[in-house]
Amino acid sequence: MFDFNNKKINFDDVLIYPKASRYNSRKEIILDSKINFPKSRVSWTGIPLMASNMDFVGTFSMGFKLQKHYISNAVSKFYTKEEWVQSINEGLNLDYNFLTFGLDEIKTISKYISHITSKTNKVPKFLVFDVPNGYIKKFSDVIEITRKEFPKLGIIAGNVVTAEGVKILIESGADGVKVGIGSGSVCSTTDVTGIGYPQLSAVIECSKEAKRHNAFIVSDGGIKTSADVVKAFAGGAGYVMLGSLFSGHIEGGAPITKIKNKEYRTLYGMSSTQAMNKHYGNVADYRASEGQSILVEDKGTIENTISQILGGIRSACTYIDAKNIGEIYEKSDFILV
Ligand code: 5GP
């Protein structure tokens, strides 16, 4: 369906052209989607957007707001077990708030899960495993061990950007694979290492591979507008993850900086010097910072941004005769601009 003569593309390189449509109004569009997790045999229903597990984005306050809209949240790795228990007891819904880990020991992962289960009587259903480089052996080992220990837990793992990476993670036990290296708004991996892949091509190629295994991908990084969200779904993404688009809101809790009567909130990359200093006390001397710190104009409550994005998706669907988010993929054709 998408043939760009081997040129690799980003969201800005394409448009989706309109088609005769049966849907006269945005009201007719259904945003709820069902996503099947093939290994754990669980399914998830909601609006398949996900807040990124970044400081000032994947917070519990964000999760409380997003769950009202059936939108999910990869919760920051840096909350303690006790903070999880407290939030769950206050109504945090585990259908939409996912525990996030990195290269953790299975002991650590099990402790979180059993502590939450014993103190709240609720069982986590979905886990996200997030590392900058999803290709390393140690990472697929973590996925394999976790899958053995928790056969019924939904597992999303990444990041990778090629079919090879998708295959490794799915064969290790992931139900879904997070896709994106070098595409994040505060990511400097490409400048520091020369590694990366234009995001929309990564989405198209990786989702093809995932579909071969009845699995799905999460497009992570580079989404600037609701149009990019639509293009990611059109490229085959199951979920779309949002960092900077969900940053700058009250719910993220980032400190405010005032410049010439305007208010800004901080956003930094999780591999930036700021993040490493905050969470690990320093930047290890064998590491270079691969993230930036920026100021984002204060956007008020996340509710504003949610309605804008959902409005954009609904409108796009009416242009391409898609009844719901799932149909965006089948009904979309890209043109290079
Ligand atoms: P955004 O939606 O802001 O364009 O991208 C968000 C994604 O950028 C995150 O979900 C994560 O995958 C990636 N990211 C976050 N912090 C960093 C960082 O410090 N360095 C790199 N390379 N990527 C980051």
Side-chain angles (χ1 to χ4, degrees):
M1 180 160 53
F2 314 122
D3 180 14
F4 302 110
N5 291 329
N6 241 352
K7 185 177 156 49
K8 301 297 174 192
I9 51 169
N10 258 313
F11 297 117
D12 287 344
D13 296 323
V14 297
L15 288 172
I16 300 162
Y17 62 82
K19 292 175 182 166
S21 172
R22 283 167 292 172
Y23 304 106
N24 299 303
S25 155
R26 293 167 205 210
K27 275 188 290 195
E28 296 170 50
I29 308 301
I30 299 156
L31 294 181
D32 267 6
S33 309
K34 186 173 169 202
I35 297 191
N36 292 321
F37 285 60
K39 302 268 161 128
S40 51
R41 296 167 183 274
V42 291
S43 67
W44 178 93
T45 308
I47 299 181
L49 301 174
M50 199 186 296
S52 169
N53 54 294
M54 296 169 76
D55 289 5
F56 311 135
V57 180
T59 61
F60 285 135
S61 325
M62 186 66 86
F64 279 109
K65 283 286 172 70
L66 295 180
Q67 70 187 30
K68 287 199 223 161
H69 299 271
Y70 313 104
I71 293 175
S72 46
N73 182 21
V75 177
S76 160
K77 295 170 187 169
F78 300 101
Y79 284 116
T80 62
K81 300 191 277 291
E82 291 71 26
E83 288 170 310
W84 268 96
V85 167
Q86 195 189 346
S87 290
I88 294 167
N89 286 335
E90 288 168 10
L92 192 81
N93 186 339
L94 292 175
D95 285 343
Y96 299 99
N97 288 278
F98 307 159
L99 279 157
T100 306
F101 296 99
L103 291 171
D104 290 281
E105 301 277 342
I106 190 69
K107 264 193 287 182
T108 311
I109 300 165
S110 300
K111 265 191 198 155
Y112 259 85
I113 295 173
S114 59
H115 185 83
I116 289 174
T117 308
S118 70
K119 301 277 179 195
T120 67
N121 265 330
K122 304 236 160 68
V123 189
K125 294 179 191 161
F126 305 98
L127 305 180
V128 175
F129 286 85
D130 171 54
V131 293
N133 177 358
Y135 290 85
I136 58 177
K137 174 78 168 63
K138 189 168 175 198
F139 186 60
S140 35
D141 288 347
V142 168
I143 304 304
E144 206 174 318
I145 294 165
T146 310
R147 172 52 73 216
K148 279 210 186 100
E149 189 79 18
F150 298 104
K152 291 180 184 159
L153 269 182
I155 296 179
I156 294 173
N159 282 19
V160 295
V161 283
T162 56
E164 180 197 21
V166 171
K167 189 161 184 273
I168 294 172
L169 293 179
I170 291 177
E171 286 178 350
S172 306
D175 298 284
V177 175
K178 207 149 66 75
V179 171
I181 292 179
S183 54
S185 59
V186 284
C187 163
S188 49
T189 295
T190 303
D191 296 333
V192 175
T193 66
I195 306 294
Y197 212 99
Q199 183 66 11
L200 185 53
S201 283
V203 166
I204 292 170
E205 294 166 26
C206 289
S207 69
K208 260 193 206 142
E209 178 64 23
K211 284 174 205 284
R212 265 185 216 128
H213 305 263
N214 296 317
F216 61 87
I217 66 141
V218 179
S219 174
D220 174 26
I223 301 281
K224 298 181 296 300
T225 59
S226 53
D228 295 342
V229 173
V230 173
K231 290 173 189 176
F233 287 130
Y239 286 90
V240 177
M241 182 172 253
L242 305 168
S244 70
L245 203 56
F246 273 179
S247 73
H249 294 94
I250 297 165
E251 292 81 358
I256 287 191
T257 309
K258 243 187 171 160
I259 305 170
K260 288 190 186 155
N261 290 327
K262 271 197 180 158
E263 295 192 332
Y264 297 85
R265 290 183 186 268
T266 308
L267 175 69
Y268 52 69
M270 295 312 290
S271 305
S272 65
T273 307
Q274 286 83 346
M276 287 191 266
N277 283 336
K278 176 166 176 195
H279 297 297
Y280 306 103
N282 62 353
V283 181
D285 53 12
Y286 56 86
R287 283 189 75 153
S289 156
E290 288 183 27
Q292 303 154 344
S293 177
I294 60 169
L295 287 175
V296 179
E297 207 173 317
D298 180 47
K299 304 177 199 164
T301 165
I302 190 73
E303 303 278 355
N304 303 337
T305 300
I306 292 173
S307 12
Q308 272 179 22
I309 298 174
L310 301 188
I313 301 173
R314 284 175 189 281
S315 181
C317 287
T318 66
Y319 277 104
I320 56 171
D321 194 43
K323 188 177 178 53
N324 53 45
I325 290 181
E327 282 192 5
I328 295 178
Y329 172 67
E330 310 153 28
K331 298 281 176 90
S332 294
D333 284 300
F334 289 125
I335 41 167
L336 220 56
V337 292

